[in-house]
Amino acid sequence: MRKGLITLVCVAGLMLWGGTAVNAIEIDWTLLEHASVAGKGPGPDGVIGTNDDTTTGEVNSCNFTTAPNCPTAGNPTIGSYSFSAIEFSPGLPWSCLDPSGGPTAGAPCICAEGGTCTSDADCSSGSCAGAGDCCPGLLNTCTECVKVPGDHNDSFSYFGSDPSLGPAPHYTTCQVNTTNDFAITAYQTASTESLSGAGGTCITLNLDNDPYAGSPCGVGAISGTLDVDVYAVQCAIIGATINNIAYTGRVVDMDAIAAVGECGYNLTDTTAMVNNARSVDPTAEYLMVLCGNTTVPSTSKTACLANADVDFVLVSYTSDDASDCSGTCP
């Protein structure tokens, strides 16, 4: 009798809501940080956690700080698989570093009377507060956007947590958004500084164009897009909004491991990441690897990042059932 009553109630509910299920399946993902990648950076294959990782001069000290002058030396005890690799624009050899995020922050170094500059002395008025200052403002400096020759990226940022964003999870997916896809409904990560002295950033989902659909729902190869807001000056001011960031990747069932071929990880690499995720969280059941590229807008208020090309990788895990695509997002 009770089973029959419950069935009638469910049918009535479906009729009232036009036949639409209302059970959203939310998956909370946490960035994978592990001692095995402490102090390591991506080698020629463009990812961390493989046998060609670099170990010299890396700032993968995700013990984790967004503070200025993130140390490049020392002995970090934990590192992040997730990062962005940045190529500065050739058209921006010098840029204004403004700790307050003022109107010249991130802009080219140009004297008020015209002409490029590298310091106040290059302009007609050398006073820090003067109209001819290279980067007007008492604490502002003109910073060289150093281009690293060859195939190396000019700068790296590593992704982790920041107190202003709260604890993990770092992003959330909702299943199912529409037929056979999912949506990224929350995204909040922090990065180490990409330029010495600039401090780290915080990155959150821009809500103007949500939901941000990806496809397909469940385990296997995936792809999608999202828009984010990047907060600079130690996450205090919005530095840029980056739209239409395309990504590809794979959701891996940890009990039936498959290589993440879309982002360069082979089966051995993927197995190691799964084992590391379970050493951090024994309840972990699924691994997600996303990768892609984007261009920072010209309006960026972070020194040297205007029009920069960015490649990124995100590696995360969850104890939720990422194979469950039976629900419907709100």
Side-chain angles (χ1 to χ4, degrees), residues 201-264:
T201 64
C202 289
I203 306 168
T204 63
L205 194 68
N206 181 286
L207 299 179
D208 290 345
N209 298 313
D210 68 329
Y212 295 103
S215 183
C217 178
V219 174
I222 57 175
S223 62
T225 62
L226 74 162
D227 303 346
V228 298
D229 293 326
V230 182
Y231 289 81
V233 192
Q234 290 183 262
C235 309
I237 63 164
I238 188 165
T241 296
I242 306 177
N243 296 320
N244 300 315
I245 301 173
Y247 62 83
T248 58
R250 180 174 290 268
V251 174
V252 176
D253 183 342
M254 291 186 180
D255 294 323
I257 303 173
V260 187
E262 292 77 9
C263 298

Side-chain angles (χ1 to χ4, degrees), residues 48-86:
I48 295 173
T50 59
N51 59 13
D52 72 343
D53 288 350
T54 58
T55 57
T56 302
E58 300 298 343
V59 292
N60 196 352
S61 54
C62 298
N63 293 350
F64 181 86
T65 178
T66 59
N69 301 308
C70 180
T72 58
N75 296 296
T77 58
I78 190 168
S80 177
Y81 281 88
S82 304
F83 67 93
S84 62
I86 304 167

Side-chain angles (χ1 to χ4, degrees), residues 9-151:
V9 170
C10 289
V11 170
L14 289 174
M15 292 175 65
L16 287 171
W17 290 99
T20 301
V22 294
N23 289 13
I25 306 299
E26 288 197 343
I27 313 297
D28 291 331
W29 300 92
T30 300
L31 293 179
L32 177 56
E33 298 175 54
H34 194 266
S36 64
V37 292
K40 293 184 178 181
D45 63 7
V47 293
I48 295 173
T50 59
N51 59 13
D52 72 343
D53 288 350
T54 58
T55 57
T56 302
E58 300 298 343
V59 292
N60 196 352
S61 54
C62 298
N63 293 350
F64 181 86
T65 178
T66 59
N69 301 308
C70 180
T72 58
N75 296 296
T77 58
I78 190 168
S80 177
Y81 281 88
S82 304
F83 67 93
S84 62
I86 304 167
E87 287 282 352
F88 297 143
S89 170
L92 191 65
W94 293 78
S95 180
C96 290
L97 175 58
D98 180 355
S100 69
T104 60
C109 298
I110 299 174
C111 295
E113 70 271 20
T116 59
C117 54
T118 61
S119 68
D120 294 349
D122 295 335
C123 303
S124 60
S125 175
S127 168
C128 286
D133 182 46
C134 191
C135 290
L138 186 61
L139 300 178
N140 301 356
T141 57
C142 186
T143 300
E144 185 176 9
C145 306
V146 178
K147 294 285 292 178
V148 179
D151 295 330

